[in-house]
């Protein structure tokens, strides 16, 4: 199986910061796309993510990731915007004590439009927060408070 690397910054729930390369599947899916970070984080049964860090491969438990940060605009952003995703400027206070500010990009549940509806609905484990040239995948369970 061919893999490609994506440079990331991970912050764990205990505040530990790791910088390294996340391994993604390089083989294309039916639509001809390679695996994205969002798809990797949301993959069914993906309890651990392989991260090349300081010359070694570490397996990071996804439940322990507060957020994952990448430079630039990953393909998920364009796909969500193309299908009409909403944006809301928010401040996300994490259980780590850190506050992340930016635009939350989300697809609301059918018949709803509010950020609270998204947070209370069953949905992806990680939410997309965009600010400047960075994209952050923030784990829902890492949220302590959301300010709109």
């Amino acid at each position: 199986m061919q893999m490609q690397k994506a440079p990331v910054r991970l912050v764990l729930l205990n505040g530990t910061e790791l910088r390294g390369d996340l391994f993604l599947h390089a083989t294309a899916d039916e639509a001809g796309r390679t695996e994205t970070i969002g798809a990797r984080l949301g993959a069914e049964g993906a309890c651990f993510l392989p991260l090349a860090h300081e010359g070694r491969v570490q397996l990071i438990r996804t439940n322990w990731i507060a957020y994952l940060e990448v430079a630039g605009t990953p393909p998920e952003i364009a796909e969500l915007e193309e299908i009409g995703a909403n944006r809301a400027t928010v401040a996300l206070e994490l259980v780590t004590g850190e506050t992340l500010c930016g635009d939350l990009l989300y697809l609301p549940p059918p018949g709803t439009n509010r950020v609270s509806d998204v947070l209370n609905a069953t949905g992806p484990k990680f939410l997309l927060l965009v600010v400047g040239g960075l994209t952050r995948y923030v784990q829902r369970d890492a949220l302590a408070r959301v300010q709109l």
Side-chain angles (χ1 to χ4, degrees):
M1 178 181 310
Q2 286 190 308
M3 302 298 280
Q4 63 184 13
K5 294 179 181 179
V8 299
R9 176 178 165 255
L10 285 174
V11 176
L12 304 179
L13 291 173
N14 66 2
T16 300
E17 180 182 322
L18 302 170
R19 292 179 185 270
D21 292 316
L22 182 66
F23 290 96
L24 302 172
H25 295 106
T27 54
D29 63 11
E30 305 82 42
R33 301 173 300 193
T34 58
E35 184 178 47
T36 64
I37 293 171
R40 183 72 169 182
L41 289 169
E44 190 71 32
C47 296
F48 289 87
L49 296 177
L51 181 75
H53 173 72
E54 296 180 349
R56 299 185 66 182
V57 174
Q58 299 186 22
L59 299 175
I60 309 297
R61 186 167 181 83
T62 56
N63 287 348
W64 270 87
I65 298 171
Y67 66 93
L68 183 149
E69 180 180 275
V70 297
T73 306
E76 293 92 326
I77 303 292
E79 291 172 12
L80 283 169
E81 288 177 335
E82 188 176 298
I83 59 175
N86 291 352
R87 274 186 185 257
T89 301
V90 297
L92 304 177
E93 292 183 27
L94 307 182
V95 296
T96 61
E98 190 172 359
T99 299
L100 304 175
C101 297
D103 288 341
L104 185 66
L105 187 63
Y106 63 95
L107 288 174
T112 67
N113 197 25
R114 302 174 306 178
V115 171
S116 61
D117 296 324
V118 171
L119 296 175
N120 288 317
T122 305
K125 187 177 196 172
F126 288 84
L127 303 169
L128 277 172
L129 185 70
V130 180
V131 59
L134 297 174
T135 300
R136 294 181 175 129
Y137 298 81
V138 182
Q139 185 180 175
R140 285 173 181 259
D141 290 343
L143 298 175
R145 180 167 64 165
V146 177
Q147 295 182 48
L148 306 174

